[in-house]
Amino acid sequence: MTSPTLPDPDVGRLLVSCEDGPGIVAAISGFLHARGANIVQSDQQTTDPVGGRFFLRIVFRVPDLPQWLPALEEEFAAEVAERFGMSFRMRAASVPTRVALFVSRYDHCLLDLLWRWRRGELPIDVVQVVSNHPDLQKEVASFDVPYAHIPVTRDTKPEAERQQAELLDGRVDLVVLARYMQVLTGGFLERIGVPAINIHHSFLPAFAGAGPYEQAKTRGVKLVGATAHYVTEDLDEGPIIEQDVARISHRDRVADITRRGADVERTVLARAVRWHCEDRVLLDGHSTIVF
């Protein structure tokens, strides 16, 4: 197997959002040019050329970026961001995103992410697996990742979330719910202070509650799908990052539908995690811009 190419430490990414108007791209490119940076990729989008929101993702290369990055951020904030009322993020592309994976008993999304991480296919560093069940501890051990079993019941949920938050404090940049069958409270999300991504099955029509694939088979559904989205206090209503579907037919058994649904869940979640960690996702209210 060919080893993954090591990332260039001198490559950085800049994400920008602000009210649209003339001169934004010129100001940003001029700032980078004045500091010897070469723009290697640029994507932009406006929701409306008159009074809309402007979104930009730039990949640039500048010699000795790790040394100069703090100064670049300060100077950009003072010289460009303040002028246009921008929200922005600038960081080194070579630094992996520290990730905690939450899981219950379904293993397909968890093991897929761990496998992709081990092969160097995702720009992440998995620092912790958290589960409300002990079932997957042996499988996770083979990836040399810490596994924390923290049971959750209706009565113990506040204490369980306190333990989870303390475990993750200062260690992660992203939480991924890889089929974690618990609702995260607003207090927990506020305490961890980092984004969280969830994956769930989505059907047309949607089937809630137990046995969604059985319900789909009974109703003769022709498509099964999955949705990856950011987690908010409102269950399954956070901004959507990625979705996909697979076609099924009347010949498929429940086991076939379940397998195809799991395949879609794996790929959709992996894409969402990759895009987030490559700084390709910008929030636009309840929606997303994905470059």
Side-chain angles (χ1 to χ4, degrees):
M1 183 181 69
T2 302
S3 300
T5 303
L6 293 176
D8 187 341
D10 292 335
V11 172
R13 300 191 194 106
L14 172 64
L15 298 183
V16 165
S17 62
C18 62
E19 184 178 346
D20 200 5
I24 298 174
V25 174
I28 294 172
S29 59
F31 173 88
L32 293 173
H33 176 263
R35 286 150 182 84
N38 179 34
I39 295 175
V40 297
Q41 186 177 357
S42 180
D43 295 282
Q44 65 187 68
Q45 173 70 24
T46 182
T47 60
D48 191 317
V50 180
R53 294 288 297 175
F54 176 80
F55 300 89
L56 175 73
R57 177 184 184 266
I58 281 181
V59 181
F60 63 93
R61 189 181 189 280
V62 63
D64 300 318
L65 175 65
Q67 175 184 348
W68 298 112
L69 184 57
L72 283 176
E73 289 182 288
E74 290 184 9
E75 292 169 4
F76 186 85
E79 298 179 23
V80 182
E82 184 176 353
R83 173 184 168 191
F84 292 97
M86 292 177 178
S87 297
F88 80 95
R89 182 184 181 193
M90 184 184 295
R91 76 182 189 106
S94 62
V95 179
T97 302
R98 300 172 300 169
V99 174
L101 304 177
F102 278 46
V103 67
S104 290
R105 286 194 166 110
Y106 295 110
D107 65 357
H108 55 285
C109 288
L110 171 74
L111 297 181
D112 182 73
L113 290 174
L114 289 171
W115 181 78
R116 292 175 189 269
W117 165 58
R118 186 166 65 183
R119 285 177 56 87
E121 295 182 5
L122 291 174
I124 64 175
D125 183 15
V126 180
V127 301
Q128 184 71 56
V129 171
V130 178
S131 180
N132 54 328
H133 298 282
D135 304 46
L136 302 176
Q137 188 163 4
K138 183 177 179 181
E139 286 84 350
V140 172
S142 66
F143 292 91
D144 196 27
V145 176
Y147 186 98
H149 171 218
I150 302 176
V152 182
T153 67
R154 184 188 301 272
D155 295 334
T156 65
K157 190 177 185 71
E159 173 60 19
E161 288 197 338
R162 184 193 65 78
Q163 293 180 35
Q164 292 168 349
E166 287 185 355
L167 179 67
L168 303 184
D169 188 25
R171 298 177 58 212
V172 300
D173 307 302
L174 175 69
V175 169
V176 178
L177 307 186
R179 292 308 303 271
Y180 182 63
M181 313 307 287
Q182 293 285 330
V183 177
L184 302 186
T185 66
F188 176 79
L189 293 172
E190 182 177 356
R191 183 167 181 180
I192 61 173
V194 299
I197 295 176
N198 187 30
I199 183 72
H200 64 85
H201 55 77
S202 60
F203 296 109
L204 300 175
F207 297 104
Y213 292 106
E214 288 82 354
Q215 295 181 61
K217 173 64 175 177
T218 301
R219 289 286 299 276
V221 163
K222 301 301 184 283
L223 294 173
V224 295
T227 298
H229 63 90
Y230 288 114
V231 180
T232 64
E233 290 187 67
D234 299 318
L235 181 63
D236 293 339
E237 294 187 14
I240 294 171
I241 305 170
E242 170 64 337
Q243 294 177 294
D244 206 347
V245 295
R247 180 164 290 279
I248 60 174
S249 80
H250 63 276
R251 295 184 176 89
D252 290 310
R253 301 165 300 170
V254 172
D256 300 322
I257 299 172
T258 302
R259 174 178 53 80
R260 294 191 182 191
D263 285 343
V264 178
E265 290 172 15
R266 279 193 291 260
T267 56
V268 168
L269 182 58
R271 287 180 206 147
V273 171
R274 172 183 293 280
W275 294 345
H276 173 90
C277 296
E278 290 179 344
D279 302 307
R280 296 183 179 277
V281 186
L282 293 91
L283 291 178
D284 179 20
H286 295 296
S287 184
T288 56
I289 305 294
V290 182
F291 288 121

